[in-house]
Amino acid sequence: MPVALPGGNPVNAAETSSTHWRLSGITAMQWALLIAMLMSTQYLVQPFVWKYWPIQDVLLGWIEVARDRVVVALFIASALILVTRMPATSMGVRAALIALAILAGAMAGEFVLLAVGTPGIRTDIPSIAGRIAQWSGLALCVVGLYCLWVRENEARAKARASQLRRSTSEALLVQTHLQALRKQIEPHF
């Protein structure tokens, strides 16, 4: 029975294991933009921002934060696209590859922002480490959700296979009973 994996790739239930997932580029970029924009709203909910600056400055500052988040998120999405094309032998290996890809993408994005000399970005080591840690925390959540998703799919596939075996066994039993009844009714055939 075909199922749709994240990224829209339909596969058979037997192929829904963690080693067969391929993230489409479009899906990765769409999610990256959405997550980056959601993360950038953190800037807007800080009371001191609204207290000390006029609304135009707040919105300009938010645009800068959103741009920085989008850059990092796109690097993460690119790393995820690459890592989901690599073969993995187990769900644990796949989860580790995904976590490392997110961490590597976050680091690459942050270092690009530093190299370009993005105005307004804090360049001290604790700030950089904090931003990378924030993305890494997100990575941990994503990997956890991915593992739960894979386990649920595998459990459902096992349940469907068990139901199919039980149904097949019941059908064979009914067929055997029918043949036995036919032999009793018409013993010459």
Side-chain angles (χ1 to χ4, degrees), residues 92-142:
V93 171
R94 174 62 69 206
L97 286 172
I98 290 171
L100 289 174
I102 293 172
L103 181 60
M107 290 174 66
E110 290 292 340
F111 289 134
V112 164
L113 290 174
L114 288 173
V116 171
T118 305
I121 192 169
R122 294 179 60 183
T123 59
D124 57 299
I125 294 192
S127 294
I128 296 167
R131 289 191 303 270
I132 292 172
Q134 184 180 26
W135 285 105
S136 299
L138 178 63
L140 186 60
C141 292
V142 168

Side-chain angles (χ1 to χ4, degrees), residues 157-172:
K158 286 180 183 177
R160 282 191 300 269
S162 175
Q163 177 66 30
L164 181 62
R165 282 192 304 273
R166 189 170 63 241
S167 295
T168 303
S169 297
E170 289 172 0
L172 287 172

Side-chain angles (χ1 to χ4, degrees), residues 42-54 58 122:
Q42 179 183 14
Y43 175 84
L44 296 174
V45 297
Q46 297 178 30
F48 74 88
V49 170
W50 297 100
K51 184 176 180 182
Y52 296 109
W53 289 290
V58 171
R122 294 179 60 183

Side-chain angles (χ1 to χ4, degrees), residues 6-40:
N9 301 331
V11 295
N12 290 327
E15 296 175 352
T16 60
S17 74
S18 57
T19 60
H20 290 85
W21 180 47
R22 286 188 130 192
L23 182 62
S24 81
I26 292 171
T27 300
M29 295 303 165
Q30 288 171 339
W31 277 103
L33 290 173
L34 177 67
I35 290 170
M37 294 309 291
L38 289 173
M39 286 182 72
S40 72

Side-chain angles (χ1 to χ4, degrees), residues 61-153:
W62 174 67
I63 289 171
E64 289 179 8
V65 170
R67 177 204 58 214
D68 295 348
R69 297 292 187 261
V70 166
V71 167
V72 174
L74 291 176
F75 270 90
I76 291 171
S78 299
L80 284 172
I81 292 166
L82 291 174
V83 82
T84 60
R85 275 139 180 85
M86 297 172 64
T89 56
S90 69
M91 183 176 65
V93 171
R94 174 62 69 206
L97 286 172
I98 290 171
L100 289 174
I102 293 172
L103 181 60
M107 290 174 66
E110 290 292 340
F111 289 134
V112 164
L113 290 174
L114 288 173
V116 171
T118 305
I121 192 169
R122 294 179 60 183
T123 59
D124 57 299
I125 294 192
S127 294
I128 296 167
R131 289 191 303 270
I132 292 172
Q134 184 180 26
W135 285 105
S136 299
L138 178 63
L140 186 60
C141 292
V142 168
V143 169
L145 288 172
Y146 171 74
C147 289
L148 291 172
W149 173 78
V150 167
R151 286 190 180 178
E152 178 188 6
N153 277 350

